[in-house]
Amino acid sequence: MKISIVYYSYSGITRKLAEDIALITDGKLIELKPEKLYSFSYNTAVKEVRKEIEKGYCPSLLEIKETFDDIDTVFIGSPNWFKTFAPPILSFLRKTDLSGKTITPFCTHGGGGLGHMVEDFKRECSSSDVKRGIALKGNYTFDELKDYIEKNL
């Protein structure tokens, strides 16, 4: 089984989770980077993101050179922002054909879990098999993550 781990990380917490998933699954890491970065001020970034999510805005991303033709499973992760994934994830989903792939959402959060991310993934990836997903706080343990993946992959 070939696996990719696609993620967007604002502060590095989601990046760490993506890296750990890659270690466990031997998957390839792909970081999504918007052309225009969000503000370094968290409060300002929150305002920017809220507006983008409300409008369904898809920010332009720096080019991704990887293809997904030979990939079976794609872990896709983001911080939980307003109960859904970050706008760069929406940009990726709308420009990448993931038909027939298994999608496992993952997120980092401060208490909101996956919110309605799984439903949002199912809406955007209607031709994919979207799994239940992984929601972890920043203080998760590697063993906790490994246990979840081993039971659900």
Side-chain angles (χ1 to χ4, degrees):
M1 173 179 359
K2 290 194 176 185
I3 297 172
S4 287
I5 299 95
V6 177
Y7 71 95
Y8 168 75
S9 184
Y10 172 74
S11 66
I13 297 169
T14 305
R15 177 181 297 114
K16 180 187 179 309
L17 178 54
E19 290 169 348
D20 286 345
I21 292 170
L23 282 172
I24 294 165
T25 64
D26 197 31
K28 180 174 181 163
L29 276 172
I30 302 167
E31 182 176 11
L32 301 179
K33 296 180 182 179
E35 286 182 358
K36 180 183 176 285
L37 298 177
Y38 293 105
S39 173
F40 289 108
S41 161
Y42 180 76
N43 290 333
T44 302
V46 166
K47 291 175 187 172
E48 293 169 353
V49 168
R50 181 187 301 263
K51 286 180 188 175
E52 289 183 359
I53 289 172
E54 287 173 354
K55 293 179 180 179
Y57 177 73
C58 294
S60 296
L61 301 175
L62 296 179
E63 185 178 355
I64 300 168
K65 296 182 177 136
E66 289 80 2
T67 64
F68 294 85
D69 297 341
D70 63 340
I71 300 298
D72 304 303
T73 299
V74 185
F75 285 80
I76 305 176
S78 167
N80 174 337
W81 281 353
F82 302 100
K83 299 182 182 176
T84 193
F85 42 73
I89 299 293
L90 183 61
S91 297
F92 170 77
L93 295 175
R94 291 201 173 159
K95 65 187 260 186
T96 307
D97 182 9
L98 298 174
S99 299
K101 311 293 181 200
T102 298
I103 308 285
T104 300
F106 68 93
C107 78
T108 53
H109 65 93
L114 281 162
H116 48 76
M117 276 189 209
V118 174
E119 293 82 4
D120 294 343
F121 273 104
K122 286 180 179 179
R123 184 184 65 246
E124 295 297 328
C125 304
S126 60
S127 299
S128 303
D129 178 19
V130 178
K131 297 297 184 186
R132 156 178 97 133
I134 306 166
L136 295 172
K137 293 184 179 181
N139 63 350
Y140 71 90
T141 67
F142 187 83
D143 288 339
E144 175 183 13
L145 174 61
K146 187 175 181 185
D147 184 56
Y148 173 86
I149 290 174
E150 288 173 353
K151 288 180 180 172
N152 293 285
L153 189 56

